[in-house]
Amino acid sequence: MVKSSVLGFPRIGGQRELKKITESYWGGKTSKEELLKVGKELREHNWKLQKEAGVDIIASNDFSYYDQVLDLSLLFNAIPERYTKYNLEPIDVLFAMGRGLQRKATDSHPAIDVTALEMVKWFDSNYHYVRPTFSHSTEFKLNTPIKPVDEYNEAKALGIETRPVLLGPISYLYLGKADKDSLDLEPISLLPKILPIYKELLAKLREAGATQVQIDEPVLVLDLPENVQSKFQQAYEELGEDLILTTYFGDVRPNLKAIENLPVAGFHFDLVRVPEQLDAVAKLGKPLSVGVVDGRNIWKTDFAKAAKIVESAIEKVGEGNVVVATSSSLLHTPVDLDSEEKLDPVIKDWFSFAKQKLDEVVTIAKRVSGEDVGDKFEANAKSIKARNESSITTNPKVQERLTTINESLATRKSAFPERLAEQKAKYNLPLFPTTTIGSFPQTKDIRINRNKFAKGQISAEEYEQFINKEIETVVRFQEEIGLDVLVHGEPERNDMVQYFGEQLDGFAFTTNGWVQSYGSRYVRPPIIVGDVSRPKAMTVKESVYAQSLTKSPMKGMLTGPVTILRWSFPRDDVSGKIQALQLGLALRDEVNDLEKAGITVIQVDEPAIREGLPLRAGKERSDYLNWAAQSFRVATSGVENSTQIHSHFCYSDLDPNHIKALDADVVSIEFSKKDDPNYIREFSEYPNHIGLGLFDIHSPRIPSKQEFVDRIQEILKVYPADKFWVNPDCGLKTRGWPEVKESLTNMVNAAKDFRGKY
């Protein structure tokens, strides 16, 4: 019999139970015991759900209160000293590393003020992990509680045998970084120190009864230097033969020599993303877990196509050596399609969420094992055919407009120096101009009124009056503290992608389709189901109203085409390039309408442009950079020289070349948690203007004015003053008003201090 396997299940809960209890704990409204209780209930529910679905190999240690990589740092004692001196409980150390901690002194507790560790994208997904941070003084050891062992035993007590999941040592070190006091340290050099800790942990799992461990080495799909490739043999000769070495998100073939002789029990490969690697990996001579059910998207698996891949694997390595699996953890998919009662039934039939994917892996495994699942295969084939033939997916007018795209359409009227001269004359901004990235706090009152409007409990006129009042509050505050380029605060927007998707043709939306982005931040990605177009203006009304309240420049705020694409569930039947260019054309209409309405500073955010970068260098990557930049320029190049185009990027390892081709007049970049001064130097020759983010908006801590001054001074050592904008890392929607007011006031006052010096 061919077995079925799921590499990990969403931990958030079908009704976002994890978010609610975690934020309640952070707010002091819930005890640690209650937090841990809800976590245990979620794990039990997930294991039982998979068991009842008939999944043979169920993962444990796929749960986390914040981030699975951060969990490992806590477990292995990779905890920078600044987090250890306060005698915090382990769960609070975890949260302090993930989101920072600032607490005033009391009679029983000292004052605490620590920033969060750096957070970056998990490969090319929209999930963020907390980067492991090492120094010369890092002393690895196995801390308690020993989470992987505890959770394995927890499942075992329920009568459910699981396969624990660990991030492997090569990936854990390679995805980490040196701390600011040890910048000469290469993390991979710590392998001899960390291997004994892995061995100790694996020994405890075996002692508890685990017969196999899923050990993830996703860095095998990257372009690895030879010194890293060579470490795999060293590591896995020590770790034991009961490991399933697991990769996902890409092609392992360029690194195949690094793993071809490893003494492991088997391998897992992502055959959704790269099915053509099967021939090569089959030659490894080991049992194969074949990832044929997509862990990253919501489209139904084509059973016939997936079964054909599995049957090919069986032919190559034998039936007893094949496992049918999800391509990756299902962390990246919504929990349950059954809860979507408002979806068009025709479109809903095309989708599969995490719960439904359990049945998919089980059904395919049964089919290739010779069991009769003909009814399910027939229903699946009917659904796949219906989608392929549906008129919902095609719009002839959009397809015709795509043919009009040429180099002229994607080029500004003049080069940046000429545009800059006109913009300086028009806006007369001071040195170190200050601005924000766009959103202001989404208060409880905003959410309540949005919900009332959605339910028809207040009229459109009443809702507009409420939104206008919120906009005025934001504008007056910005004027009061002296920001130079203002925003309207986005109170009308539920999400920076969903808001636009709801006003574009070609999208579908869920009610409970939440996916974890980081920590307690969940998103509900729209689903691109067909060709995209803009039926009417989306943002002009609010921007024009905001501009009417002030003489300061008011930014129009849009989300860019690549980010809308990447932060939605994209189509899998047409290329990303086509979808991005369709979005670029729709946004071009919006940009032009904003300019006509008098909004001449327009920000088109592209935080996802780096995450969409193909994981390996080569033609696919260069092609992506070309069409990604082209789609942005299509959206923004129809304006006059004096209209200033901004863009924003965050929480990725950026390269200046990734953004240079966009030709935006001003870009803002997340910078507050970057410790390496070389990162600034990389951008010092960037021709256009840059705002380097000066405080972490994902943390509740408030930087002092002196902290801003010190940060700006460091930047100015390597970055020209006349090109430097001052801004936060990202939008402020997740923060509260008190911390926003104090942080922005300190930021603006620090910028003003420098103006008289240059």
Side-chain angles (χ1 to χ4, degrees):
M1 293 290 291
V2 173
K3 291 185 175 181
S4 57
S5 170
V6 172
L7 272 56
F9 198 79
R11 55 224 186 192
I12 63 177
Q15 300 298 320
R16 294 181 291 163
E17 291 91 341
L18 185 59
K19 173 186 177 69
K20 294 168 186 174
I21 193 67
T22 304
E23 292 183 348
S24 179
Y25 177 72
W26 291 341
K29 299 175 182 177
T30 295
S31 68
K32 181 185 75 170
E33 289 70 28
E34 183 64 21
L35 173 68
L36 299 180
K37 177 176 176 287
V38 171
K40 184 175 182 179
E41 290 169 350
L42 288 169
R43 292 191 294 272
E44 179 176 343
H45 174 270
N46 291 346
W47 289 325
K48 287 183 175 179
L49 186 69
Q50 294 173 78
K51 183 73 173 177
E52 290 164 4
V55 176
D56 297 305
I57 303 171
I58 299 169
S60 59
N61 197 43
D62 55 342
F63 178 85
S64 176
Y65 287 100
Y66 202 91
D67 165 51
Q68 68 273 12
V69 183
L70 182 60
D71 287 344
L72 210 55
S73 295
L74 184 72
L75 179 65
F76 287 163
N77 201 49
I79 307 171
E81 185 180 355
R82 55 190 176 273
Y83 301 102
T84 63
K85 58 186 179 182
Y86 298 110
N87 249 354
L88 297 172
E89 293 275 347
I91 190 73
D92 296 320
V93 175
L94 182 88
F95 291 144
M97 290 196 292
R99 62 193 297 266
L101 182 61
Q102 192 173 49
R103 193 167 69 189
K104 293 180 180 179
T106 66
D107 292 340
S108 55
H109 297 288
I112 301 176
D113 188 5
V114 288
T115 58
L117 293 177
E118 184 181 4
M119 183 175 70
V120 290
K121 292 295 175 72
W122 181 245
F123 294 81
D124 59 352
S125 76
N126 188 29
Y127 179 76
H128 304 65
Y129 76 98
V130 179
R131 179 169 276 174
T133 302
F134 312 110
S135 71
H136 291 296
S137 61
T138 298
E139 291 292 338
F140 296 115
K141 65 177 182 178
L142 206 56
N143 282 331
T144 55
I146 304 177
K147 180 178 177 291
V149 177
D150 291 347
E151 292 184 9
Y152 172 80
N153 285 329
E154 199 177 294
K156 195 172 183 179
L158 297 169
I160 300 174
E161 182 61 31
T162 61
R163 185 172 68 186
V165 180
L166 295 175
L167 182 63
I170 310 298
S171 293
Y172 177 68
L173 293 174
Y174 190 70
L175 294 172
K177 60 178 277 190
D179 209 349
K180 52 192 173 185
D181 61 354
S182 301
L183 293 177
D184 61 331
L185 175 67
E186 187 179 12
I188 198 66
S189 69
L190 298 173
L191 184 63
K193 290 186 176 182
I194 204 170
L195 278 179
I197 315 306
Y198 268 93
K199 290 172 68 175
E200 182 183 355
L201 174 58
L202 288 168
K204 289 183 180 298
L205 285 168
R206 293 172 189 130
E207 185 180 327
T211 57
Q212 279 191 346
V213 173
Q214 173 187 318
I215 193 153
D216 291 2
E217 291 285 9
V219 297
L220 281 163
V221 302
L222 304 177
D223 292 319
L224 294 178
E226 286 188 16
N227 73 310
V228 176
Q229 290 190 47
S230 67
K231 302 297 184 185
F232 279 90
Q233 195 72 34
Q234 174 188 345
Y236 285 90
E237 282 182 353
E238 293 193 35
L239 294 183
E241 299 181 359
D242 53 355
L243 307 178
I244 303 299
L245 190 73
T246 301
T247 73
Y248 34 79
F249 299 164
D251 191 348
V252 76
R253 287 174 294 178
N255 291 320
L256 210 55
K257 285 190 179 298
I259 62 171
E260 61 184 1
N261 296 314
L262 299 189
V264 295
F267 294 96
H268 169 89
F269 300 103
D270 184 342
L271 300 184
V272 171
R273 187 69 74 89
V274 191
E276 56 271 23
Q277 65 184 321
L278 176 59
D279 287 345
V281 300
K283 294 176 183 177
L284 291 168
K286 297 280 187 178
L288 292 181
S289 168
V290 290
V292 294
V293 171
D294 195 348
R296 289 275 299 271
N297 214 326
I298 47 70
W299 303 105
K300 265 187 180 173
T301 301
D302 184 330
F303 281 177
K305 182 178 177 182
K308 188 174 181 180
I309 294 172
V310 178
E311 288 163 354
S312 178
I314 290 171
E315 289 176 7
K316 297 177 191 304
V317 300
E319 184 178 42
N321 290 321
V322 172
V323 173
V324 176
T326 55
S327 62
S328 65
S329 168
L330 299 177
L331 168 71
H332 311 282
T333 60
V335 176
D336 186 5
L337 184 62
D338 292 342
S339 66
E340 299 302 327
E341 298 176 353
K342 295 182 180 179
L343 269 175
D344 179 342
V346 172
I347 295 174
K348 182 178 179 179
D349 186 55
W350 303 345
F351 302 153
S352 177
F353 292 0
K355 179 184 173 184
Q356 288 68 42
K357 291 177 187 289
L358 304 179
D359 185 64
E360 289 185 338
V361 293
V362 170
T363 299
I364 296 166
K366 287 181 176 179
R367 176 61 173 256
V368 298
S369 297
E371 291 192 38
D372 183 8
V373 288
D375 289 349
K376 289 188 175 183
F377 262 64
E378 289 172 14
N380 177 267
K382 183 179 178 181
S383 179
I384 299 295
K385 184 174 185 288
R387 179 187 168 207
N388 290 339
E389 296 176 353
S390 174
S391 60
I392 295 173
T393 64
T394 55
N395 183 327
K397 290 183 179 179
V398 174
Q399 295 181 5
E400 181 181 355
R401 193 179 179 194
L402 276 176
T403 66
T404 68
I405 294 177
N406 54 31
E407 191 58 32
S408 175
L409 196 75
T411 305
R412 293 287 296 269
K413 293 181 178 180
S414 302
F416 176 69
E418 186 176 335
R419 302 198 308 262
L420 178 62
E422 293 190 34
Q423 290 165 18
K424 282 185 173 180
K426 181 172 184 174
Y427 303 113
N428 193 30
L429 296 172
L431 270 179
F432 308 105
T434 56
T435 189
T436 66
I437 305 307
S439 60
F440 268 73
Q442 289 266 321
T443 63
K444 183 178 181 180
D445 201 24
I446 290 174
R447 294 193 296 271
I448 288 172
N449 277 273
R450 182 185 297 136
N451 193 40
K452 284 182 176 179
F453 177 58
K455 292 180 177 179
Q457 295 173 356
I458 58 175
S459 67
E461 183 180 354
E462 289 173 315
Y463 184 60
E464 183 175 342
Q465 289 174 352
F466 170 79
I467 291 298
N468 285 347
K469 183 180 177 182
E470 292 293 322
I471 291 172
E472 183 170 9
T473 297
V474 169
V475 171
R476 297 298 174 231
F477 165 69
Q478 293 173 92
E479 288 182 323
E480 177 186 333
I481 66 170
L483 279 161
D484 299 303
V485 177
L486 312 190
V487 298
H488 79 282
E490 306 176 15
E492 79 285 4
R493 304 186 188 183
N494 45 19
D495 176 81
M496 66 181 290
V497 172
Q498 181 183 346
Y499 178 76
F500 291 97
E502 287 174 343
Q503 299 183 77
L504 294 167
D505 289 341
F507 283 81
F509 300 90
T510 65
T511 303
N512 294 297
W514 299 98
V515 177
Q516 186 180 27
S517 180
Y518 65 87
S520 69
R521 169 67 171 153
Y522 304 166
V523 293
R524 194 154 42 99
I527 303 169
I528 304 178
V529 296
D531 292 333
V532 176
S533 61
R534 186 199 75 146
K536 62 180 181 180
M538 301 179 286
T539 67
V540 173
K541 181 175 66 175
E542 291 81 10
S543 296
V544 167
Y545 175 72
Q547 184 65 82
S548 74
L549 299 172
T550 182
K551 293 181 179 179
S552 297
M554 177 63 61
K555 279 196 289 191
M557 302 298 304
L558 305 175
T559 303
V562 174
T563 298
I564 293 178
L565 171 66
R566 295 291 308 183
W567 291 2
S568 301
F569 288 116
R571 296 171 67 177
D572 61 355
D573 58 338
V574 297
S575 70
K577 175 181 179 179
I578 288 174
Q579 293 174 79
L581 289 174
Q582 289 179 358
L583 286 160
L585 288 168
L587 290 167
R588 183 184 182 89
D589 295 340
E590 187 72 13
V591 168
N592 292 346
D593 281 351
L594 282 167
E595 185 185 54
K596 289 174 187 174
I599 306 300
T600 58
V601 180
I602 303 171
Q603 183 171 311
V604 182
D605 289 342
E606 281 291 24
I609 201 164
R610 171 60 180 83
E611 84 181 38
L613 191 72
L615 296 173
R616 293 192 183 281
K619 186 176 185 302
E620 185 185 1
R621 181 177 288 185
S622 60
D623 287 348
Y624 165 80
L625 288 171
N626 287 336
W627 63 252
Q630 183 187 31
S631 67
F632 179 90
R633 296 196 311 271
V634 164
T636 58
S637 292
V639 296
E640 299 299 324
N641 286 344
S642 59
T643 293
Q644 190 174 75
I645 298 294
H646 289 233
S647 192
H648 170 67
F649 314 89
C650 61
Y651 300 97
S652 290
D653 291 320
L654 283 165
D655 182 314
N657 292 321
H658 298 156
I659 58 174
K660 186 175 181 180
L662 304 185
D663 196 26
D665 299 304
V666 182
V667 298
S668 54
I669 297 172
E670 171 264 326
F671 183 69
S672 71
K673 291 191 277 191
K674 299 292 185 186
D675 300 320
D676 188 350
N678 290 324
Y679 190 76
I680 316 174
R681 291 191 183 96
E682 290 178 15
F683 289 92
S684 61
E685 299 303 319
Y686 180 74
N688 302 8
H689 286 196
I690 293 184
L692 293 165
L694 296 181
F695 71 95
D696 176 16
I697 62 84
H698 293 104
S699 172
R701 72 178 296 274
I702 299 167
S704 66
K705 176 186 171 183
Q706 189 58 49
E707 187 175 327
F708 283 114
V709 168
D710 294 344
R711 195 74 171 167
I712 294 170
Q713 283 177 334
E714 286 299 310
I715 291 169
L716 291 176
K717 290 177 181 178
V718 293
Y719 194 76
D722 62 345
K723 292 169 37 173
F724 179 26
W725 285 60
V726 174
N727 49 257
D729 268 353
C730 199
L732 301 165
K733 71 176 288 186
T734 61
R735 301 271 55 89
W737 266 108
E739 61 206 65
V740 164
K741 287 181 177 181
E742 190 172 347
S743 295
L744 284 181
T745 300
N746 291 342
M747 183 191 82
V748 171
N749 289 338
K752 289 177 179 178
D753 279 2
F754 281 88
R755 287 173 183 166
K757 302 175 183 178
Y758 287 83

